[in-house]
Amino acid sequence: MTSASSVLLLVLAAAVAVATLFLIPLLLELRRTVRTLNGVLQITEESLGPTLRELRSTLANLDRITSDINSVTDDVRMFSGSLRQVGKDLHELRDVVALLGGGVGAKLAGLRAGFSTGFKFLAHNIVKKGGTP
């Protein structure tokens, strides 16, 4: 069994030597790949840092803009409601003025007619009597 075990040992040694010859370049290539990957990750991290900061700033600005738009929308809604109320108030005021104006106009027209008639009567009587009382 010594010769079979020597052959087995020799085959095993040859297999280890061949595996080592294949593993050394493989490990060297793997090491280069890891270095390259580390470099790519570092560059990516360096370039993403400012981008992420800018994105955070943009999101904060967008949040402020949204808040301002909500505020302006509320103000426009309140202004619109105020305009609607002013329109209603003006309509009511127009109705009141029309109601009062009609009554006052009629009274003024009556008063004017009364004065006119009174002056005509007075003038007629002064002319008729010759200006003597």
Side-chain angles (χ1 to χ4, degrees), residues 1 5 12 31 36 44 46 49 59 67 69 75 90 98 105-106 111 117 130 132:
M1 244 199 182
S5 67
L12 186 61
R31 186 172 150 189
T36 304
T44 304
E46 289 172 0
L59 288 175
S67 175
I69 287 173
D75 291 347
L90 285 175
L111 191 59
T117 305
T132 56

Side-chain angles (χ1 to χ4, degrees), residues 26-133:
L26 180 68
L27 290 175
L28 291 175
E29 187 62 33
L30 185 62
R31 186 172 150 189
R32 275 186 247 144
T33 304
V34 168
R35 281 187 198 152
T36 304
L37 184 60
N38 280 337
V40 168
L41 288 176
Q42 185 176 5
I43 290 170
T44 304
E45 184 180 342
E46 289 172 0
S47 66
L48 282 180
T51 304
L52 289 175
R53 282 192 295 276
E54 188 173 328
L55 181 61
R56 284 186 194 114
S57 173
T58 302
L59 288 175
N61 288 338
L62 186 60
D63 187 40
R64 280 194 297 271
I65 289 170
T66 304
S67 175
D68 291 346
I69 287 173
N70 286 337
S71 176
V72 168
T73 303
D74 291 342
D75 291 347
V76 167
R77 214 176 272 132
M78 287 176 54
F79 182 70
S80 173
S82 297
L83 284 178
R84 199 174 305 118
Q85 185 61 40
V86 166
K88 287 178 184 177
D89 292 346
L90 285 175
H91 184 70
E92 289 177 11
L93 183 62
R94 185 194 69 194
D95 291 344
V96 168
V97 167
L99 181 67
L100 290 177
V104 170
K107 289 178 184 177
L108 286 176
L111 191 59
R112 193 177 307 138
F115 278 128
S116 175
T117 305
F119 282 125
K120 285 180 187 176
F121 182 75
L122 182 63
H124 179 64
N125 283 336
I126 290 176
V127 169
K128 189 177 176 184
K129 292 186 180 182
T132 56

